[in-house]
Amino acid sequence: MSLITEELKAKAEYYQGDKLCQEKSKFLLTEMGLPNGLLPLQDIEECGYVKETGFVWLKQKKSTTHKFEKIGKLVSYATEVTAYVEPKKIKKLSGVKTKELLVWITLNEIFVDDPPTGKITFKTPTGLFRTFPVSAFEVEEEVKEKEAVGAVKEI
């Protein structure tokens, strides 16, 4: 059963279409101090953000699995991903699982260390967690652009 109602959509910044939703989701992640490649969804049909509560949702045509190459981890994203976001943190996450050995494990919280140490932590509902470098979840093209801009500023 979907958490997304017409009433909720009326309160939200609501967008449709893959390209626009890709841009908006990456922008929101960056604005919240999270890596922009954390939600590599495909064929996003709609997304929304309720600023007052921090509730976010993304709906894609079909579930997808993504391998984060830098850490060798598989992550599965359901057709509907929901969460509450706040600076440097995602809480009450649903629709995201990671593969550990042969078992898919639900993730429900993600946070970046504060003060920044370059680490990001993923937690399960049972309290288990894993920490990785933030850089493993950043979109490469945009990282290269930032480095190029930084290099130009230094000149």
Side-chain angles (χ1 to χ4, degrees), residues 127-153:
L128 297 172
F129 66 91
R130 282 245 176 157
T131 301
F132 299 100
V134 168
S135 60
F137 302 94
E138 290 181 338
V139 175
E140 284 299 315
E141 301 84 60
E142 294 177 24
V143 170
K144 288 176 186 167
E145 285 175 23
K146 285 180 189 174
E147 289 171 357
V149 169
V152 169
K153 286 181 181 176

Side-chain angles (χ1 to χ4, degrees), residues 29-46:
L29 287 168
T30 303
E31 192 176 68
M32 291 295 163
L34 296 161
N36 61 2
L38 208 50
L39 298 169
L41 305 184
Q42 299 170 351
D43 295 327
I44 303 173
E45 295 179 306
E46 69 177 58

Side-chain angles (χ1 to χ4, degrees), residues 103-114:
V103 180
W104 285 98
I105 298 172
T106 299
L107 295 176
N108 74 329
E109 190 174 325
I110 302 169
F111 60 91
V112 174
D113 291 340
D114 195 25

Side-chain angles (χ1 to χ4, degrees), residues 12-152:
E13 290 178 24
Y14 173 70
Y15 305 97
Q16 290 182 302
D18 183 56
K19 187 175 182 190
L20 185 57
C21 288
Q22 293 283 353
E23 289 172 17
K24 294 295 181 180
S25 64
K26 286 178 182 154
F27 176 78
L28 181 63
L29 287 168
T30 303
E31 192 176 68
M32 291 295 163
L34 296 161
N36 61 2
L38 208 50
L39 298 169
L41 305 184
Q42 299 170 351
D43 295 327
I44 303 173
E45 295 179 306
E46 69 177 58
C47 63
Y49 174 49
V50 181
K51 206 168 196 163
E52 298 81 53
T53 62
F55 183 73
V56 175
W57 78 89
L58 298 118
K59 285 186 180 181
Q60 56 184 349
K61 289 182 182 173
K62 59 181 182 177
S63 59
T64 60
T65 302
H66 178 81
K67 184 173 185 178
F68 288 96
E69 294 295 336
K70 290 183 180 177
I71 57 169
K73 289 289 177 193
L74 274 178
V75 179
S76 170
Y77 298 89
T79 54
E80 185 174 290
V81 175
T82 64
Y84 288 87
V85 296
E86 58 187 58
K88 300 187 181 218
K89 187 180 263 190
I90 296 175
K91 300 185 303 187
K92 297 183 183 178
L93 178 64
S94 72
V96 181
K97 295 181 180 186
T98 184
K99 195 165 193 179
E100 288 292 328
L101 299 173
L102 301 172
V103 180
W104 285 98
I105 298 172
T106 299
L107 295 176
N108 74 329
E109 190 174 325
I110 302 169
F111 60 91
V112 174
D113 291 340
D114 195 25
T117 60
K119 301 287 184 188
I120 186 167
T121 301
F122 298 82
K123 287 179 71 175
T124 69
T126 60
L128 297 172
F129 66 91
R130 282 245 176 157
T131 301
F132 299 100
V134 168
S135 60
F137 302 94
E138 290 181 338
V139 175
E140 284 299 315
E141 301 84 60
E142 294 177 24
V143 170
K144 288 176 186 167
E145 285 175 23
K146 285 180 189 174
E147 289 171 357
V149 169
V152 169

